[in-house]
Coordinates of all heavy atoms in Angstrom, one line a residue:
M1 N 85.4 142.4 51.6 CA 84.6 142.5 52.8 C 85.5 142.6 54.0 O 86.4 141.9 54.2 CB 83.7 141.3 52.9 CG 82.6 141.4 54.0 SD 81.5 140.0 53.9 CE 81.7 139.3 55.5
A2 N 85.3 143.6 54.8 CA 86.1 143.8 56.0 C 85.8 142.8 57.1 O 84.6 142.5 57.3 CB 86.0 145.3 56.5
T3 N 86.8 142.4 57.8 CA 86.6 141.5 58.9 C 86.7 142.3 60.2 O 87.7 143.1 60.4 CB 87.7 140.5 58.9 OG1 87.8 139.8 57.7 CG2 87.5 139.4 60.0
D4 N 85.7 142.2 61.0 CA 85.7 142.9 62.3 C 86.4 142.1 63.3 O 85.8 141.2 63.9 CB 84.2 143.2 62.7 CG 84.2 144.2 63.9 OD1 85.1 144.3 64.6 OD2 83.1 144.9 64.0
R5 N 87.6 142.5 63.5 CA 88.4 141.7 64.4 C 88.0 141.8 65.9 O 88.1 140.8 66.6 CB 89.9 142.2 64.4 CG 90.6 141.8 63.1 CD 92.0 142.0 63.2 NE 92.6 141.4 64.3 CZ 93.7 140.6 64.3 NH1 94.2 140.3 63.2 NH2 94.2 140.1 65.4
S6 N 87.5 142.9 66.3 CA 87.0 143.1 67.7 C 85.8 142.2 68.0 O 85.7 141.7 69.0 CB 86.8 144.5 68.0 OG 85.7 145.0 67.3
E7 N 85.0 142.1 67.0 CA 83.8 141.2 67.1 C 84.3 139.7 67.3 O 83.8 139.0 68.2 CB 82.9 141.2 65.8 CG 81.7 142.1 66.0 CD 80.8 141.7 67.1 OE1 80.4 140.5 67.2 OE2 80.6 142.6 68.0
L8 N 85.2 139.3 66.5 CA 85.8 138.0 66.6 C 86.4 137.8 68.0 O 86.2 136.7 68.6 CB 86.8 137.7 65.5 CG 87.5 136.3 65.5 CD1 86.4 135.3 65.2 CD2 88.5 136.3 64.4
T9 N 87.2 138.7 68.4 CA 87.8 138.6 69.7 C 86.8 138.5 70.8 O 87.0 137.7 71.7 CB 88.8 139.8 69.9 OG1 89.7 139.9 68.9 CG2 89.6 139.6 71.2
S10 N 85.8 139.3 70.8 CA 84.8 139.2 71.9 C 84.0 137.9 71.8 O 83.7 137.4 72.9 CB 83.9 140.4 71.9 OG 83.0 140.4 70.8
Y11 N 83.9 137.4 70.6 CA 83.2 136.0 70.5 C 84.2 135.0 71.2 O 83.7 134.2 72.0 CB 83.0 135.7 69.1 CG 82.6 134.2 68.9 CD1 81.2 133.9 69.2 CD2 83.4 133.3 68.4 CE1 80.8 132.5 69.0 CE2 83.1 132.0 68.3 CZ 81.8 131.6 68.6 OH 81.4 130.3 68.4
Q12 N 85.4 135.1 70.9 CA 86.4 134.1 71.4 C 86.5 134.3 72.9 O 86.6 133.3 73.7 CB 87.8 134.3 70.8 CG 87.8 133.8 69.4 CD 89.2 134.2 68.7 OE1 89.7 135.2 68.9 NE2 89.7 133.2 67.9
W13 N 86.4 135.5 73.4 CA 86.5 135.8 74.8 C 85.3 135.2 75.5 O 85.4 134.6 76.6 CB 86.6 137.3 75.1 CG 86.2 137.7 76.5 CD1 85.2 138.5 76.9 CD2 87.0 137.3 77.7 NE1 85.2 138.6 78.3 CE2 86.3 137.9 78.8 CE3 88.1 136.5 77.9 CZ2 86.7 137.7 80.1 CZ3 88.5 136.4 79.2 CH2 87.8 137.0 80.3
R14 N 84.1 135.3 75.0 CA 82.9 134.7 75.6 C 83.0 133.2 75.7 O 82.6 132.6 76.7 CB 81.6 135.1 74.8 CG 81.2 136.6 75.1 CD 79.8 136.9 74.6 NE 79.6 136.6 73.2 CZ 79.8 137.4 72.2 NH1 80.2 138.6 72.5 NH2 79.5 137.1 71.0
Q15 N 83.5 132.6 74.6 CA 83.7 131.2 74.6 C 84.7 130.8 75.7 O 84.5 129.8 76.4 CB 84.3 130.7 73.2 CG 83.4 131.0 72.1 CD 82.3 129.9 72.1 OE1 82.5 128.7 72.0 NE2 81.1 130.4 72.1
L16 N 85.8 131.5 75.8 CA 86.8 131.2 76.8 C 86.3 131.3 78.2 O 86.4 130.5 79.1 CB 88.1 132.1 76.6 CG 89.2 131.9 77.7 CD1 89.7 130.5 77.7 CD2 90.3 132.9 77.3
R17 N 85.6 132.4 78.4 CA 85.0 132.7 79.8 C 84.0 131.6 80.2 O 84.0 131.1 81.3 CB 84.3 134.1 79.7 CG 83.8 134.5 81.1 CD 83.2 135.9 81.0 NE 82.1 135.9 80.0 CZ 81.4 137.0 79.6 NH1 81.8 138.2 80.1 NH2 80.4 136.9 78.7
A18 N 83.2 131.1 79.2 CA 82.3 130.1 79.5 C 83.0 128.8 79.9 O 82.6 128.0 80.7 CB 81.3 129.8 78.3
R19 N 84.1 128.5 79.2 CA 84.9 127.3 79.5 C 85.5 127.4 80.9 O 85.5 126.4 81.6 CB 86.0 127.2 78.4 CG 86.1 125.8 77.8 CD 87.0 125.8 76.6 NE 88.4 126.0 77.0 CZ 89.4 126.5 76.2 NH1 89.0 126.9 75.0 NH2 90.6 126.6 76.6
I20 N 86.0 128.6 81.2 CA 86.7 128.8 82.5 C 85.6 128.6 83.6 O 85.8 127.9 84.6 CB 87.2 130.2 82.6 CG1 88.4 130.4 81.6 CG2 87.7 130.5 84.1 CD1 89.6 129.7 81.9
L21 N 84.4 129.1 83.4 CA 83.4 129.0 84.4 C 82.8 127.6 84.5 O 82.3 127.2 85.6 CB 82.3 130.0 84.1 CG 82.6 131.5 84.4 CD1 81.5 132.4 84.0 CD2 82.9 131.7 85.9
A22 N 82.8 126.9 83.4 CA 82.4 125.5 83.4 C 83.3 124.6 84.2 O 82.9 123.7 84.9 CB 82.2 125.0 82.0
A23 N 84.6 125.0 84.2 CA 85.6 124.2 84.9 C 85.6 124.5 86.4 O 85.8 123.6 87.2 CB 87.0 124.5 84.3
S24 N 85.4 125.8 86.7 CA 85.4 126.2 88.1 C 84.6 127.5 88.3 O 84.7 128.3 87.4 CB 86.8 126.3 88.6 OG 86.8 127.0 89.9
D25 N 84.0 127.6 89.5 CA 83.3 128.9 89.7 C 83.9 129.5 91.0 O 83.3 130.4 91.7 CB 81.8 128.8 89.8 CG 81.3 128.0 91.0 OD1 82.2 127.4 91.7 OD2 80.1 128.0 91.3
V26 N 85.1 129.1 91.4 CA 85.7 129.6 92.6 C 86.4 130.9 92.3 O 87.4 130.9 91.5 CB 86.7 128.5 93.3 CG1 87.4 129.1 94.5 CG2 85.9 127.3 93.7
C27 N 86.0 131.9 93.0 CA 86.5 133.3 92.7 C 88.0 133.4 93.0 O 88.4 132.9 94.1 CB 85.7 134.3 93.5 SG 86.4 135.9 93.4
V28 N 88.8 134.0 92.1 CA 90.2 134.0 92.3 C 90.6 135.1 93.4 O 91.7 135.1 93.9 CB 90.9 134.3 91.0 CG1 90.7 135.7 90.5 CG2 92.4 134.0 91.0
V29 N 89.7 136.0 93.7 CA 90.0 137.1 94.6 C 89.6 136.6 96.0 O 90.4 136.6 97.0 CB 89.2 138.4 94.3 CG1 89.4 139.4 95.4 CG2 89.8 138.9 93.0
C30 N 88.3 136.2 96.3 CA 87.9 135.9 97.6 C 87.9 134.4 98.0 O 87.8 134.1 99.1 CB 86.5 136.5 97.9 SG 85.2 135.7 97.1
G31 N 88.0 133.6 97.0 CA 88.1 132.1 97.2 C 86.7 131.4 97.4 O 86.7 130.3 97.8
H32 N 85.6 132.1 97.2 CA 84.3 131.5 97.4 C 83.8 131.1 96.0 O 84.2 131.7 95.0 CB 83.3 132.5 98.0 CG 83.7 132.9 99.4 ND1 83.7 134.3 99.8 CD2 84.1 132.2 100.4 CE1 84.1 134.3 101.1 NE2 84.4 133.1 101.5
G33 N 82.8 130.2 96.0 CA 82.2 129.8 94.8 C 81.2 130.8 94.2 O 81.0 131.9 94.8
G34 N 80.5 130.4 93.2 CA 79.4 131.3 92.6 C 79.9 132.4 91.7 O 79.1 133.4 91.5
S35 N 81.1 132.3 91.2 CA 81.5 133.4 90.3 C 80.6 133.5 89.1 O 80.2 132.4 88.6 CB 83.0 133.1 89.8 OG 83.8 133.2 90.9
D36 N 80.3 134.7 88.6 CA 79.4 134.8 87.5 C 80.2 135.4 86.3 O 79.6 135.6 85.2 CB 78.2 135.7 87.8 CG 78.7 137.1 88.4 OD1 79.8 137.2 88.8 OD2 77.8 138.0 88.4
T37 N 81.5 135.6 86.4 CA 82.2 136.0 85.2 C 83.7 135.6 85.4 O 84.0 134.9 86.3 CB 82.1 137.6 85.0 OG1 82.6 137.9 83.8 CG2 82.8 138.3 86.1
A38 N 84.5 136.0 84.5 CA 85.9 135.7 84.6 C 86.7 136.9 84.2 O 86.2 137.8 83.6 CB 86.3 134.5 83.6
D39 N 88.0 136.9 84.7 CA 88.8 138.1 84.5 C 90.2 137.7 84.2 O 90.6 136.6 84.5 CB 88.7 139.1 85.6 CG 89.3 140.5 85.3 OD1 89.2 140.8 84.1 OD2 89.8 141.1 86.2
H40 N 91.0 138.6 83.7 CA 92.4 138.3 83.4 C 93.2 138.5 84.7 O 93.1 139.5 85.4 CB 92.9 139.3 82.3 CG 92.2 139.1 81.0 ND1 91.2 139.9 80.6 CD2 92.4 138.1 80.1 CE1 90.7 139.4 79.4 NE2 91.4 138.3 79.1
L41 N 94.1 137.6 84.9 CA 95.0 137.7 86.1 C 96.0 138.9 85.9 O 96.2 139.7 86.7 CB 95.8 136.4 86.3 CG 94.9 135.2 86.5 CD1 95.7 133.9 86.7 CD2 94.0 135.4 87.8
V42 N 96.6 138.9 84.7 CA 97.4 140.0 84.3 C 96.5 140.8 83.3 O 96.2 140.3 82.2 CB 98.7 139.6 83.6 CG1 99.5 140.9 83.2 CG2 99.5 138.8 84.6
P43 N 96.1 142.0 83.6 CA 95.2 142.8 82.7 C 95.8 142.9 81.3 O 97.0 143.0 81.2 CB 95.1 144.1 83.4 CG 95.5 143.9 84.8 CD 96.5 142.8 84.8
V44 N 94.9 142.8 80.3 CA 95.3 143.0 79.0 C 96.0 144.3 78.8 O 97.0 144.4 78.0 CB 94.1 142.8 78.0 CG1 94.5 143.1 76.6 CG2 93.5 141.4 78.2
S45 N 95.5 145.3 79.5 CA 96.1 146.7 79.4 C 97.5 146.7 79.9 O 98.3 147.6 79.7 CB 95.3 147.7 80.1 OG 95.2 147.4 81.5
K46 N 97.9 145.7 80.7 CA 99.2 145.6 81.3 C 100.1 144.5 80.6 O 101.1 144.1 81.1 CB 99.2 145.2 82.8 CG 98.3 146.2 83.6 CD 99.1 147.4 84.0 CE 98.4 148.2 85.1 NZ 97.2 148.9 84.6
G47 N 99.6 144.1 79.4 CA 100.4 143.1 78.6 C 100.0 141.7 78.8 O 100.6 140.8 78.2
G48 N 98.9 141.4 79.5 CA 98.4 140.0 79.7 C 97.8 139.5 78.4 O 97.3 140.3 77.6
A49 N 97.8 138.2 78.2 CA 97.2 137.6 77.0 C 95.7 137.5 77.2 O 95.2 137.0 78.2 CB 97.8 136.2 76.8
R50 N 95.0 138.1 76.2 CA 93.5 138.2 76.3 C 92.9 136.8 76.3 O 91.9 136.5 77.0 CB 93.0 139.1 75.2 CG 91.5 139.3 75.3 CD 91.0 140.0 74.1 NE 91.5 141.4 74.0 CZ 90.9 142.4 74.6 NH1 89.8 142.2 75.3 NH2 91.4 143.6 74.4
L51 N 93.4 136.0 75.4 CA 92.7 134.7 75.2 C 93.5 133.5 75.6 O 93.3 132.4 75.1 CB 92.4 134.6 73.7 CG 91.4 135.6 73.2 CD1 91.3 135.6 71.6 CD2 90.0 135.5 73.8
D52 N 94.4 133.7 76.6 CA 95.2 132.6 77.2 C 94.4 132.1 78.4 O 94.3 132.8 79.4 CB 96.6 133.1 77.5 CG 97.4 131.9 78.1 OD1 96.9 130.8 78.2 OD2 98.6 132.2 78.4
P53 N 94.0 130.8 78.4 CA 93.2 130.3 79.5 C 94.0 130.3 80.8 O 93.5 130.4 81.9 CB 93.0 128.8 79.1 CG 93.1 128.7 77.7 CD 94.1 129.8 77.3
A54 N 95.3 130.3 80.7 CA 96.2 130.4 81.9 C 96.2 131.8 82.5 O 96.5 132.0 83.7 CB 97.6 130.0 81.6
N55 N 95.7 132.8 81.8 CA 95.6 134.1 82.3 C 94.2 134.5 82.7 O 93.9 135.7 82.9 CB 96.2 135.1 81.2 CG 96.4 136.5 81.8 OD1 96.8 136.7 83.0 ND2 96.1 137.5 81.0
V56 N 93.3 133.6 82.7 CA 91.9 133.9 82.9 C 91.4 133.1 84.1 O 91.7 131.9 84.2 CB 91.0 133.6 81.7 CG1 89.6 133.9 82.0 CG2 91.5 134.5 80.5
A57 N 90.6 133.7 85.0 CA 90.2 133.0 86.2 C 88.8 133.4 86.6 O 88.4 134.6 86.3 CB 91.1 133.2 87.4
P58 N 88.0 132.6 87.2 CA 86.6 133.0 87.6 C 86.7 134.1 88.7 O 87.6 134.2 89.5 CB 86.1 131.7 88.3 CG 87.0 130.6 87.9 CD 88.3 131.2 87.6
I59 N 85.7 135.0 88.7 CA 85.7 136.1 89.6 C 84.2 136.5 89.8 O 83.4 136.3 88.9 CB 86.6 137.2 89.1 CG1 86.9 138.2 90.2 CG2 85.9 138.0 87.9 CD1 88.0 139.2 89.8
H60 N 83.9 137.2 90.9 CA 82.6 137.7 91.1 C 82.4 139.0 90.4 O 83.2 140.0 90.6 CB 82.3 137.9 92.6 CG 82.2 136.6 93.3 ND1 83.2 136.1 94.2 CD2 81.3 135.6 93.2 CE1 82.8 134.9 94.7 NE2 81.7 134.5 94.0
G61 N 81.4 139.1 89.5 CA 81.1 140.3 88.8 C 80.1 141.2 89.4 O 80.1 141.4 90.6
V62 N 79.2 141.7 88.6 CA 78.2 142.7 89.1 C 77.3 142.2 90.2 O 76.8 143.0 91.0 CB 77.4 143.3 87.9 CG1 78.2 144.2 87.1 CG2 76.8 142.2 87.1
N63 N 77.1 140.9 90.2 CA 76.2 140.3 91.2 C 76.8 140.2 92.5 O 76.1 140.0 93.5 CB 75.6 139.0 90.7 CG 74.7 139.1 89.5 OD1 74.1 140.2 89.3 ND2 74.7 138.1 88.7
G64 N 78.1 140.2 92.6 CA 78.9 140.1 93.8 C 78.9 138.7 94.3 O 78.3 137.8 93.8
C65 N 79.6 138.5 95.4 CA 79.8 137.1 96.0 C 78.6 136.8 96.9 O 78.3 137.7 97.7 CB 81.1 137.1 96.8 SG 81.3 135.5 97.7
P66 N 78.0 135.6 96.8 CA 76.9 135.3 97.6 C 77.3 135.0 99.1 O 76.5 135.0 100.0 CB 76.3 134.0 97.0 CG 77.4 133.4 96.2 CD 78.3 134.6 95.8
V67 N 78.6 134.8 99.3 CA 79.1 134.5 100.7 C 79.6 135.8 101.4 O 79.1 136.2 102.4 CB 80.2 133.5 100.6 CG1 80.8 133.2 102.0 CG2 79.7 132.2 99.9
C68 N 80.5 136.5 100.8 CA 81.1 137.7 101.4 C 80.6 139.0 100.9 O 81.0 140.1 101.3 CB 82.7 137.6 101.4 SG 83.4 137.8 99.8
L69 N 79.8 138.9 99.8 CA 79.1 140.1 99.2 C 80.1 141.1 98.6 O 79.7 142.2 98.2 CB 78.3 140.8 100.3 CG 77.3 140.0 101.0 CD1 76.5 140.8 102.1 CD2 76.3 139.3 100.1
R70 N 81.4 140.7 98.4 CA 82.3 141.6 97.7 C 82.0 141.5 96.2 O 81.6 140.5 95.7 CB 83.7 141.1 97.9 CG 84.2 141.5 99.3 CD 85.5 140.7 99.7 NE 86.6 141.2 98.9 CZ 87.8 140.7 99.1 NH1 88.0 139.6 99.8 NH2 88.9 141.1 98.4
K71 N 82.2 142.6 95.5 CA 82.2 142.7 94.1 C 83.6 142.6 93.6 O 84.3 143.6 93.3 CB 81.5 143.9 93.6 CG 80.0 143.8 93.9 CD 79.1 144.8 93.2 CE 77.7 144.5 93.4 NZ 76.8 145.5 93.9
C72 N 84.1 141.4 93.5 CA 85.6 141.2 93.4 C 86.1 141.8 92.1 O 87.2 142.3 92.1 CB 85.9 139.7 93.5 SG 85.3 139.0 95.0
N73 N 85.3 141.7 91.0 CA 85.8 142.2 89.8 C 86.0 143.8 89.8 O 87.0 144.3 89.3 CB 84.9 141.8 88.6 CG 85.6 141.9 87.3 OD1 86.9 141.9 87.2 ND2 84.9 141.9 86.2
S74 N 85.0 144.4 90.4 CA 85.2 145.9 90.5 C 86.2 146.3 91.5 O 86.9 147.3 91.3 CB 83.8 146.6 90.8 OG 83.0 145.8 91.4
E75 N 86.4 145.5 92.5 CA 87.5 145.7 93.5 C 88.8 145.6 92.8 O 89.8 146.4 93.0 CB 87.4 144.7 94.6 CG 87.3 145.2 96.0 CD 87.2 144.1 97.0 OE1 88.2 143.5 97.3 OE2 86.0 143.8 97.4
K76 N 88.9 144.5 92.0 CA 90.2 144.3 91.3 C 90.5 145.3 90.2 O 91.6 145.7 90.0 CB 90.2 142.9 90.7 CG 91.4 142.5 89.9 CD 91.3 141.1 89.4 CE 92.5 140.7 88.5 NZ 92.5 141.5 87.3
S77 N 89.4 145.7 89.5 CA 89.5 146.7 88.4 C 90.6 146.2 87.4 O 90.5 145.0 87.1 CB 89.9 148.0 89.0 OG 89.8 149.0 88.0
D78 N 91.5 147.0 87.0 CA 92.5 146.6 86.0 C 93.9 146.4 86.6 O 94.9 146.4 86.0 CB 92.5 147.5 84.8 CG 93.2 148.9 85.2 OD1 93.2 149.2 86.4 OD2 93.6 149.6 84.3
R79 N 93.9 146.1 88.0 CA 95.1 145.9 88.6 C 95.5 144.4 88.5 O 94.6 143.5 88.3 CB 95.0 146.2 90.1 CG 94.9 147.7 90.4 CD 94.7 147.9 91.8 NE 93.5 147.4 92.3 CZ 93.2 147.3 93.6 NH1 94.0 147.8 94.5 NH2 92.0 146.8 94.0
P80 N 96.8 144.1 88.5 CA 97.2 142.7 88.5 C 96.7 142.0 89.8 O 96.5 142.7 90.8 CB 98.7 142.7 88.6 CG 99.1 144.1 88.2 CD 97.9 145.0 88.5
L81 N 96.4 140.7 89.7 CA 95.8 140.0 90.8 C 96.6 140.1 92.1 O 96.1 140.3 93.2 CB 95.6 138.6 90.5 CG 95.0 137.7 91.6 CD1 93.5 138.1 91.7 CD2 95.1 136.2 91.2
S82 N 98.0 140.1 91.9 CA 98.9 140.2 93.1 C 98.7 141.5 93.9 O 99.1 141.5 95.0 CB 100.3 140.0 92.6 OG 100.6 140.9 91.6
D83 N 98.2 142.5 93.2 CA 98.0 143.8 94.0 C 96.7 143.7 94.8 O 96.5 144.5 95.7 CB 97.8 144.9 93.0 CG 99.1 145.4 92.4 OD1 100.1 144.7 92.6 OD2 99.1 146.5 91.8
V84 N 95.8 142.8 94.5 CA 94.5 142.7 95.1 C 94.5 141.6 96.2 O 94.0 141.8 97.3 CB 93.4 142.4 94.1 CG1 92.0 142.4 94.7 CG2 93.5 143.3 92.9
V85 N 95.1 140.5 95.9 CA 95.1 139.4 96.8 C 96.4 139.3 97.5 O 97.5 139.3 96.9 CB 94.9 138.1 96.1 CG1 94.9 136.9 97.0 CG2 93.6 138.1 95.3
Q86 N 96.4 139.3 98.9 CA 97.6 139.1 99.6 C 97.9 137.6 99.6 O 97.0 136.8 99.9 CB 97.4 139.5 101.1 CG 96.8 140.8 101.3 CD 97.6 141.9 100.7 OE1 98.8 142.0 100.9 NE2 97.0 142.8 99.9
L87 N 99.0 137.2 99.1 CA 99.3 135.8 98.9 C 99.8 135.2 100.3 O 100.9 135.6 100.7 CB 100.4 135.6 97.8 CG 99.8 136.0 96.4 CD1 101.0 135.8 95.4 CD2 98.7 135.1 96.0
H88 N 99.0 134.4 100.8 CA 99.4 133.7 102.1 C 100.0 132.4 101.7 O 99.3 131.4 101.5 CB 98.2 133.5 103.0 CG 97.5 134.8 103.3 ND1 98.1 135.8 104.1 CD2 96.3 135.3 103.0 CE1 97.3 136.8 104.2 NE2 96.2 136.6 103.5
T89 N 101.3 132.3 101.7 CA 102.0 131.1 101.3 C 101.8 129.9 102.2 O 101.9 128.8 101.9 CB 103.5 131.3 101.1 OG1 104.0 132.0 102.2 CG2 103.8 132.1 99.8
S90 N 101.4 130.2 103.5 CA 101.1 129.1 104.4 C 99.8 128.4 104.2 O 99.6 127.3 104.6 CB 101.2 129.7 105.9 OG 100.2 130.6 106.0
V91 N 98.9 129.1 103.4 CA 97.7 128.5 103.1 C 97.7 127.8 101.7 O 98.0 128.4 100.7 CB 96.5 129.5 103.1 CG1 95.2 128.9 102.7 CG2 96.4 130.2 104.5
D92 N 97.4 126.5 101.7 CA 97.4 125.8 100.5 C 96.0 125.8 99.9 O 95.2 125.0 100.3 CB 97.9 124.4 100.7 CG 98.1 123.6 99.4 OD1 97.7 124.2 98.3 OD2 98.6 122.5 99.4
W93 N 95.7 126.7 99.0 CA 94.4 126.8 98.4 C 93.9 125.5 97.7 O 92.8 125.3 97.5 CB 94.3 128.0 97.5 CG 94.4 129.3 98.1 CD1 94.5 129.5 99.4 CD2 94.4 130.5 97.4 NE1 94.5 130.9 99.6 CE2 94.5 131.5 98.5 CE3 94.4 130.9 96.1 CZ2 94.5 132.9 98.2 CZ3 94.4 132.3 95.8 CH2 94.5 133.2 96.8
F94 N 94.9 124.8 97.2 CA 94.5 123.7 96.4 C 94.7 122.3 97.1 O 94.9 121.3 96.5 CB 95.4 123.7 95.1 CG 95.2 125.0 94.3 CD1 96.2 126.0 94.4 CD2 94.0 125.2 93.6 CE1 96.0 127.2 93.7 CE2 93.8 126.4 92.9 CZ 94.8 127.4 93.0
A95 N 94.7 122.4 98.4 CA 94.8 121.1 99.2 C 93.7 120.2 98.9 O 92.5 120.6 99.0 CB 94.9 121.5 100.7
G96 N 94.0 119.0 98.5 CA 93.0 118.0 98.2 C 92.8 117.1 99.4 O 93.4 117.3 100.4
P97 N 91.9 116.2 99.3 CA 91.6 115.2 100.4 C 92.8 114.3 100.6 O 93.5 114.0 99.6 CB 90.4 114.4 99.9 CG 90.2 114.7 98.4 CD 91.0 115.9 98.1
Ligands
ZN101 ZN1 84.9 136.9 94.9
ZN102 ZN1 83.4 135.9 98.5

């Protein structure tokens, strides 16, 4: 019996995506909440790991961002995140109380 590897991978991907979204829904592109999907920071087509949680982050998909209305995932397309987001090192995104 043949094993359909792509089926298995997409199952694992859905599991991982659900885990990422359960942990956080803050979009990696625009920084707003309400992300409805997740995407690879380094695209798989560019050598990124498909099922590595460290390479996956929440992002706004087809529904777009409820705050800024961007469709971050289509904006990002298959580019690396660093091409999409200007990194402002003076801003600490993860500043806590
Ligand atoms: Zn977004
Ligand atoms: Zn936004």
Side-chain angles (χ1 to χ4, degrees):
M1 192 171 118
T3 306
D4 190 334
R5 289 190 53 127
S6 65
E7 261 304 305
L8 181 62
T9 303
S10 69
Y11 171 77
Q12 290 174 319
W13 164 243
R14 287 196 301 273
Q15 295 285 304
L16 175 60
R17 188 177 56 188
R19 229 170 71 206
I20 296 289
L21 287 174
S24 168
D25 68 349
V26 176
C27 173
V28 73
V29 171
C30 72
H32 299 132
S35 295
D36 56 343
T37 189
D39 193 30
H40 297 100
L41 301 179
V42 179
V44 175
S45 61
K46 304 277 192 294
R50 184 188 293 274
L51 296 171
D52 181 357
N55 191 36
V56 178
I59 197 168
H60 292 112
V62 287
N63 294 331
C65 174
V67 179
C68 68
L69 308 178
R70 286 165 71 182
K71 293 193 167 127
C72 302
N73 200 18
S74 25
E75 238 178 76
K76 179 177 173 297
S77 188
D78 69 341
R79 293 177 293 173
L81 182 69
S82 51
D83 281 14
V84 184
V85 179
Q86 313 296 314
L87 294 176
H88 302 292
T89 47
S90 58
V91 178
D92 186 354
W93 290 358
F94 301 105

